[in-house]
């Protein structure tokens, strides 16, 4: 039923009494199965309303790091830029310390609101070390790391990340088409070149109902 197209658009599944009868199982067994599917993110339950199939989520894995566009392309997801802004700013203390530059030194700031054709699900803000050489005149509709590598011979090799949960303030909520206070996934990404020199400080704000971040670790 989860794979049935008739339930893909948010239509509610039959109620517990109907499902238990249809499957010839007890309601307690059914409820246990439903709870497991809700935990796995396949179903969504609303108390007093019903159960429906969860909207498909975008997943990002930490193993074999790729750029956002490369990840989405690998999953066959067409990405749309809803907004793109380029400005020169003075960094705050954290960013200046990361780049090991003076806080009075102007750096390039790139803001992008991105998502699927149906709507945005992530708001990115990137800051770049002046050493990289970006001018702000680049065509940022191209893949970012292709620009760095092909135009400036800067190869993004290492990514270190911090993931946390937050609530959306009014600014982010408006960008992601959410109510203020809605849960979001907040990710900081620190990107280094082959010599492990910092080249990008990136933050991303993701809709929690549209994006899942998974980590895969292997013990040697």
């Amino acid at each position: 039923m989860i794979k049935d197209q008739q339930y893909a658009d948010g239509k509610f599944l039959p109620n517990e009494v109907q499902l238990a009868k249809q499957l010839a199982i007890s309601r307690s067994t059914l409820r246990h199965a439903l709870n497991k599917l809700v935990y796995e993110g396949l179903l969504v339950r609303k108390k007093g309303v019903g159960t429906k199939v969860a909207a498909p989520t975008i997943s990002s894995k930490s193993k074999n790091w790729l750029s956002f566009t490369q990840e989405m392309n690998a999953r066959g997801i067409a990405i749309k830029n809803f907004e793109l802004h380029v400005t020169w700013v003075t960094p705050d203390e954290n960013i200046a310390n990361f780049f090991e530059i003076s806080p009075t030194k102007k750096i390039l700031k790139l803001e992008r609101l991105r998502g699927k054709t149906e709507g945005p699900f992530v708001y990115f803000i990137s800051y770049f070390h002046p050493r990289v050489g970006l001018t702000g005149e680049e065509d940022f509709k191209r893949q970012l790391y292709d620009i760095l590598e092909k135009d400036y011979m800067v190869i993004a090799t290492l990514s270190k990340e911090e993931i946390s949960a937050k609530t959306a303030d009014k600014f982010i909520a408006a960008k992601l088409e959410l109510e203020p206070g809605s849960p979001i996934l907040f990710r900081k990404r620190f990107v280094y070149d082959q010599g492990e020199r910092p080249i990008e400080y990136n933050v991303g704000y993701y809709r929690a109902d549209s994006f899942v971040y998974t980590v895969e670790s292997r013990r040697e």
Side-chain angles (χ1 to χ4, degrees), residues 96-118:
N97 288 340
F98 171 66
F99 285 144
E100 297 182 347
I101 60 173
S102 166
T104 61
K105 179 74 172 179
K106 287 284 186 80
I107 60 174
L108 188 72
K109 177 183 180 181
L110 172 64
E111 300 170 79
R112 291 177 293 175
L113 181 63
R114 314 187 78 185
K116 298 185 289 186
T117 53
E118 305 92 89

PDB file of all heavy atoms in Angstrom, residues 96-118:
ATOM      1  N   ALA A  96      36.505  34.530  10.298  1.00  0.00           N
ATOM      2  CA  ALA A  96      37.852  35.097  10.191  1.00  0.00           C
ATOM      3  C   ALA A  96      38.885  34.163  10.819  1.00  0.00           C
ATOM      4  O   ALA A  96      39.970  33.955  10.264  1.00  0.00           O
ATOM      5  CB  ALA A  96      37.900  36.468  10.849  1.00  0.00           C
ATOM      6  N   ASN A  97      38.532  33.577  11.951  1.00  0.00           N
ATOM      7  CA  ASN A  97      39.448  32.644  12.616  1.00  0.00           C
ATOM      8  C   ASN A  97      39.641  31.375  11.791  1.00  0.00           C
ATOM      9  O   ASN A  97      40.748  30.839  11.712  1.00  0.00           O
ATOM     10  CB  ASN A  97      38.923  32.287  14.006  1.00  0.00           C
ATOM     11  CG  ASN A  97      39.043  33.432  14.988  1.00  0.00           C
ATOM     12  OD1 ASN A  97      39.825  34.359  14.768  1.00  0.00           O
ATOM     13  ND2 ASN A  97      38.272  33.400  16.058  1.00  0.00           N
ATOM     14  N   PHE A  98      38.561  30.891  11.183  1.00  0.00           N
ATOM     15  CA  PHE A  98      38.658  29.690  10.353  1.00  0.00           C
ATOM     16  C   PHE A  98      39.583  29.934   9.162  1.00  0.00           C
ATOM     17  O   PHE A  98      40.433  29.107   8.838  1.00  0.00           O
ATOM     18  CB  PHE A  98      37.270  29.279   9.868  1.00  0.00           C
ATOM     19  CG  PHE A  98      37.281  28.175   8.844  1.00  0.00           C
ATOM     20  CD1 PHE A  98      37.704  26.894   9.172  1.00  0.00           C
ATOM     21  CD2 PHE A  98      36.868  28.416   7.540  1.00  0.00           C
ATOM     22  CE1 PHE A  98      37.717  25.869   8.230  1.00  0.00           C
ATOM     23  CE2 PHE A  98      36.878  27.403   6.584  1.00  0.00           C
ATOM     24  CZ  PHE A  98      37.301  26.131   6.928  1.00  0.00           C
ATOM     25  N   PHE A  99      39.440  31.088   8.518  1.00  0.00           N
ATOM     26  CA  PHE A  99      40.267  31.409   7.358  1.00  0.00           C
ATOM     27  C   PHE A  99      41.643  31.959   7.752  1.00  0.00           C
ATOM     28  O   PHE A  99      42.518  32.109   6.898  1.00  0.00           O
ATOM     29  CB  PHE A  99      39.561  32.440   6.473  1.00  0.00           C
ATOM     30  CG  PHE A  99      38.419  31.891   5.659  1.00  0.00           C
ATOM     31  CD1 PHE A  99      37.285  32.655   5.426  1.00  0.00           C
ATOM     32  CD2 PHE A  99      38.481  30.622   5.113  1.00  0.00           C
ATOM     33  CE1 PHE A  99      36.244  32.163   4.658  1.00  0.00           C
ATOM     34  CE2 PHE A  99      37.437  30.123   4.341  1.00  0.00           C
ATOM     35  CZ  PHE A  99      36.315  30.890   4.118  1.00  0.00           C
ATOM     36  N   GLU A 100      41.798  32.299   9.044  1.00  0.00           N
ATOM     37  CA  GLU A 100      43.040  32.897   9.541  1.00  0.00           C
ATOM     38  C   GLU A 100      43.354  34.192   8.783  1.00  0.00           C
ATOM     39  O   GLU A 100      44.453  34.389   8.263  1.00  0.00           O
ATOM     40  CB  GLU A 100      44.206  31.902   9.442  1.00  0.00           C
ATOM     41  CG  GLU A 100      44.007  30.660  10.295  1.00  0.00           C
ATOM     42  CD  GLU A 100      45.186  29.704  10.213  1.00  0.00           C
ATOM     43  OE1 GLU A 100      46.040  29.875   9.314  1.00  0.00           O
ATOM     44  OE2 GLU A 100      45.254  28.768  11.034  1.00  0.00           O
ATOM     45  N   ILE A 101      42.333  35.062   8.724  1.00  0.00           N
ATOM     46  CA  ILE A 101      42.475  36.360   8.063  1.00  0.00           C
ATOM     47  C   ILE A 101      41.992  37.454   9.008  1.00  0.00           C
ATOM     48  O   ILE A 101      41.345  37.180  10.019  1.00  0.00           O
ATOM     49  CB  ILE A 101      41.669  36.430   6.749  1.00  0.00           C
ATOM     50  CG1 ILE A 101      40.168  36.202   7.032  1.00  0.00           C
ATOM     51  CG2 ILE A 101      42.184  35.407   5.736  1.00  0.00           C
ATOM     52  CD1 ILE A 101      39.275  36.415   5.823  1.00  0.00           C
ATOM     53  N   SER A 102      42.286  38.681   8.651  1.00  0.00           N
ATOM     54  CA  SER A 102      41.829  39.819   9.439  1.00  0.00           C
ATOM     55  C   SER A 102      40.316  39.974   9.305  1.00  0.00           C
ATOM     56  O   SER A 102      39.765  39.794   8.215  1.00  0.00           O
ATOM     57  CB  SER A 102      42.509  41.100   8.937  1.00  0.00           C
ATOM     58  OG  SER A 102      41.860  42.239   9.461  1.00  0.00           O
ATOM     59  N   PRO A 103      39.622  40.312  10.391  1.00  0.00           N
ATOM     60  CA  PRO A 103      38.168  40.510  10.321  1.00  0.00           C
ATOM     61  C   PRO A 103      37.772  41.723   9.477  1.00  0.00           C
ATOM     62  O   PRO A 103      36.584  41.919   9.203  1.00  0.00           O
ATOM     63  CB  PRO A 103      37.761  40.678  11.791  1.00  0.00           C
ATOM     64  CG  PRO A 103      39.002  41.093  12.494  1.00  0.00           C
ATOM     65  CD  PRO A 103      40.134  40.437  11.772  1.00  0.00           C
ATOM     66  N   THR A 104      38.748  42.519   9.075  1.00  0.00           N
ATOM     67  CA  THR A 104      38.443  43.668   8.222  1.00  0.00           C
ATOM     68  C   THR A 104      38.607  43.330   6.735  1.00  0.00           C
ATOM     69  O   THR A 104      38.289  44.147   5.876  1.00  0.00           O
ATOM     70  CB  THR A 104      39.358  44.856   8.563  1.00  0.00           C
ATOM     71  OG1 THR A 104      40.726  44.476   8.339  1.00  0.00           O
ATOM     72  CG2 THR A 104      39.181  45.267  10.016  1.00  0.00           C
ATOM     73  N   LYS A 105      39.095  42.116   6.450  1.00  0.00           N
ATOM     74  CA  LYS A 105      39.320  41.690   5.073  1.00  0.00           C
ATOM     75  C   LYS A 105      38.002  41.273   4.424  1.00  0.00           C
ATOM     76  O   LYS A 105      37.294  40.416   4.943  1.00  0.00           O
ATOM     77  CB  LYS A 105      40.296  40.510   5.052  1.00  0.00           C
ATOM     78  CG  LYS A 105      40.606  39.935   3.681  1.00  0.00           C
ATOM     79  CD  LYS A 105      41.521  40.835   2.888  1.00  0.00           C
ATOM     80  CE  LYS A 105      41.982  40.180   1.612  1.00  0.00           C
ATOM     81  NZ  LYS A 105      42.851  41.057   0.808  1.00  0.00           N
ATOM     82  N   LYS A 106      37.643  41.860   3.296  1.00  0.00           N
ATOM     83  CA  LYS A 106      36.393  41.517   2.610  1.00  0.00           C
ATOM     84  C   LYS A 106      36.505  40.127   1.973  1.00  0.00           C
ATOM     85  O   LYS A 106      37.533  39.773   1.408  1.00  0.00           O
ATOM     86  CB  LYS A 106      36.082  42.546   1.515  1.00  0.00           C
ATOM     87  CG  LYS A 106      35.612  43.906   2.042  1.00  0.00           C
ATOM     88  CD  LYS A 106      34.177  43.803   2.510  1.00  0.00           C
ATOM     89  CE  LYS A 106      33.611  45.157   2.903  1.00  0.00           C
ATOM     90  NZ  LYS A 106      33.185  45.939   1.737  1.00  0.00           N
ATOM     91  N   ILE A 107      35.418  39.346   2.100  1.00  0.00           N
ATOM     92  CA  ILE A 107      35.380  38.017   1.493  1.00  0.00           C
ATOM     93  C   ILE A 107      34.077  37.869   0.703  1.00  0.00           C
ATOM     94  O   ILE A 107      33.100  38.581   0.937  1.00  0.00           O
ATOM     95  CB  ILE A 107      35.488  36.890   2.544  1.00  0.00           C
ATOM     96  CG1 ILE A 107      34.322  36.977   3.543  1.00  0.00           C
ATOM     97  CG2 ILE A 107      36.825  36.934   3.247  1.00  0.00           C
ATOM     98  CD1 ILE A 107      34.280  35.816   4.521  1.00  0.00           C
ATOM     99  N   LEU A 108      34.081  36.903  -0.230  1.00  0.00           N
ATOM    100  CA  LEU A 108      32.907  36.671  -1.054  1.00  0.00           C
ATOM    101  C   LEU A 108      31.887  35.822  -0.298  1.00  0.00           C
ATOM    102  O   LEU A 108      32.227  34.799   0.302  1.00  0.00           O
ATOM    103  CB  LEU A 108      33.303  35.955  -2.347  1.00  0.00           C
ATOM    104  CG  LEU A 108      32.196  35.808  -3.398  1.00  0.00           C
ATOM    105  CD1 LEU A 108      31.892  37.161  -4.034  1.00  0.00           C
ATOM    106  CD2 LEU A 108      32.603  34.801  -4.467  1.00  0.00           C
ATOM    107  N   LYS A 109      30.632  36.259  -0.352  1.00  0.00           N
ATOM    108  CA  LYS A 109      29.525  35.540   0.270  1.00  0.00           C
ATOM    109  C   LYS A 109      28.538  35.131  -0.822  1.00  0.00           C
ATOM    110  O   LYS A 109      28.086  35.961  -1.609  1.00  0.00           O
ATOM    111  CB  LYS A 109      28.824  36.434   1.304  1.00  0.00           C
ATOM    112  CG  LYS A 109      27.597  35.797   1.961  1.00  0.00           C
ATOM    113  CD  LYS A 109      26.946  36.794   2.918  1.00  0.00           C
ATOM    114  CE  LYS A 109      25.710  36.210   3.593  1.00  0.00           C
ATOM    115  NZ  LYS A 109      25.063  37.205   4.502  1.00  0.00           N
ATOM    116  N   LEU A 110      28.216  33.839  -0.872  1.00  0.00           N
ATOM    117  CA  LEU A 110      27.293  33.297  -1.866  1.00  0.00           C
ATOM    118  C   LEU A 110      26.090  32.690  -1.144  1.00  0.00           C
ATOM    119  O   LEU A 110      26.244  31.797  -0.314  1.00  0.00           O
ATOM    120  CB  LEU A 110      27.993  32.230  -2.711  1.00  0.00           C
ATOM    121  CG  LEU A 110      27.132  31.420  -3.688  1.00  0.00           C
ATOM    122  CD1 LEU A 110      26.536  32.320  -4.767  1.00  0.00           C
ATOM    123  CD2 LEU A 110      27.952  30.293  -4.316  1.00  0.00           C
ATOM    124  N   GLU A 111      24.901  33.189  -1.468  1.00  0.00           N
ATOM    125  CA  GLU A 111      23.669  32.669  -0.873  1.00  0.00           C
ATOM    126  C   GLU A 111      22.825  32.018  -1.961  1.00  0.00           C
ATOM    127  O   GLU A 111      22.603  32.610  -3.019  1.00  0.00           O
ATOM    128  CB  GLU A 111      22.870  33.790  -0.214  1.00  0.00           C
ATOM    129  CG  GLU A 111      23.619  34.506   0.901  1.00  0.00           C
ATOM    130  CD  GLU A 111      22.889  35.759   1.357  1.00  0.00           C
ATOM    131  OE1 GLU A 111      21.918  35.642   2.125  1.00  0.00           O
ATOM    132  OE2 GLU A 111      23.286  36.862   0.920  1.00  0.00           O
ATOM    133  N   ARG A 112      22.358  30.793  -1.678  1.00  0.00           N
ATOM    134  CA  ARG A 112      21.551  30.080  -2.669  1.00  0.00           C
ATOM    135  C   ARG A 112      20.376  29.373  -1.985  1.00  0.00           C
ATOM    136  O   ARG A 112      20.567  28.656  -1.006  1.00  0.00           O
ATOM    137  CB  ARG A 112      22.399  29.047  -3.420  1.00  0.00           C
ATOM    138  CG  ARG A 112      23.446  29.661  -4.338  1.00  0.00           C
ATOM    139  CD  ARG A 112      24.296  28.605  -5.009  1.00  0.00           C
ATOM    140  NE  ARG A 112      25.133  27.908  -4.040  1.00  0.00           N
ATOM    141  CZ  ARG A 112      25.914  26.871  -4.338  1.00  0.00           C
ATOM    142  NH1 ARG A 112      25.952  26.416  -5.575  1.00  0.00           N
ATOM    143  NH2 ARG A 112      26.659  26.305  -3.412  1.00  0.00           N
ATOM    144  N   LEU A 113      19.199  29.603  -2.518  1.00  0.00           N
ATOM    145  CA  LEU A 113      18.000  28.896  -2.076  1.00  0.00           C
ATOM    146  C   LEU A 113      17.714  27.836  -3.128  1.00  0.00           C
ATOM    147  O   LEU A 113      17.469  28.166  -4.293  1.00  0.00           O
ATOM    148  CB  LEU A 113      16.820  29.868  -1.952  1.00  0.00           C
ATOM    149  CG  LEU A 113      15.490  29.265  -1.476  1.00  0.00           C
ATOM    150  CD1 LEU A 113      15.615  28.698  -0.069  1.00  0.00           C
ATOM    151  CD2 LEU A 113      14.383  30.311  -1.541  1.00  0.00           C
ATOM    152  N   ARG A 114      17.756  26.562  -2.739  1.00  0.00           N
ATOM    153  CA  ARG A 114      17.710  25.482  -3.708  1.00  0.00           C
ATOM    154  C   ARG A 114      16.666  24.429  -3.326  1.00  0.00           C
ATOM    155  O   ARG A 114      16.258  24.332  -2.168  1.00  0.00           O
ATOM    156  CB  ARG A 114      19.089  24.826  -3.837  1.00  0.00           C
ATOM    157  CG  ARG A 114      20.233  25.819  -3.963  1.00  0.00           C
ATOM    158  CD  ARG A 114      21.547  25.166  -4.259  1.00  0.00           C
ATOM    159  NE  ARG A 114      21.624  24.790  -5.669  1.00  0.00           N
ATOM    160  CZ  ARG A 114      22.638  24.111  -6.195  1.00  0.00           C
ATOM    161  NH1 ARG A 114      23.633  23.713  -5.440  1.00  0.00           N
ATOM    162  NH2 ARG A 114      22.646  23.807  -7.467  1.00  0.00           N
ATOM    163  N   GLY A 115      16.253  23.661  -4.304  1.00  0.00           N
ATOM    164  CA  GLY A 115      15.283  22.613  -4.031  1.00  0.00           C
ATOM    165  C   GLY A 115      14.847  21.908  -5.284  1.00  0.00           C
ATOM    166  O   GLY A 115      15.475  22.009  -6.337  1.00  0.00           O
ATOM    167  N   LYS A 116      13.750  21.174  -5.160  1.00  0.00           N
ATOM    168  CA  LYS A 116      13.154  20.510  -6.308  1.00  0.00           C
ATOM    169  C   LYS A 116      12.188  21.479  -6.978  1.00  0.00           C
ATOM    170  O   LYS A 116      11.925  22.563  -6.463  1.00  0.00           O
ATOM    171  CB  LYS A 116      12.435  19.234  -5.859  1.00  0.00           C
ATOM    172  CG  LYS A 116      13.378  18.202  -5.233  1.00  0.00           C
ATOM    173  CD  LYS A 116      12.668  16.904  -4.912  1.00  0.00           C
ATOM    174  CE  LYS A 116      11.720  17.050  -3.740  1.00  0.00           C
ATOM    175  NZ  LYS A 116      11.141  15.740  -3.336  1.00  0.00           N
ATOM    176  N   THR A 117      11.644  21.091  -8.117  1.00  0.00           N
ATOM    177  CA  THR A 117      10.748  21.994  -8.843  1.00  0.00           C
ATOM    178  C   THR A 117       9.515  22.355  -8.018  1.00  0.00           C
ATOM    179  O   THR A 117       8.958  23.442  -8.178  1.00  0.00           O
ATOM    180  CB  THR A 117      10.302  21.354 -10.171  1.00  0.00           C
ATOM    181  OG1 THR A 117       9.749  20.056  -9.907  1.00  0.00           O
ATOM    182  CG2 THR A 117      11.471  21.215 -11.137  1.00  0.00           C
ATOM    183  N   GLU A 118       9.121  21.454  -7.102  1.00  0.00           N
ATOM    184  CA  GLU A 118       7.925  21.716  -6.294  1.00  0.00           C
ATOM    185  C   GLU A 118       8.153  22.798  -5.234  1.00  0.00           C
ATOM    186  O   GLU A 118       7.209  23.393  -4.736  1.00  0.00           O
ATOM    187  CB  GLU A 118       7.459  20.445  -5.587  1.00  0.00           C
ATOM    188  CG  GLU A 118       7.212  19.262  -6.515  1.00  0.00           C
ATOM    189  CD  GLU A 118       8.435  18.396  -6.679  1.00  0.00           C
ATOM    190  OE1 GLU A 118       8.624  17.461  -5.877  1.00  0.00           O
ATOM    191  OE2 GLU A 118       9.207  18.661  -7.607  1.00  0.00           O
TER     192      GLU A 118
END
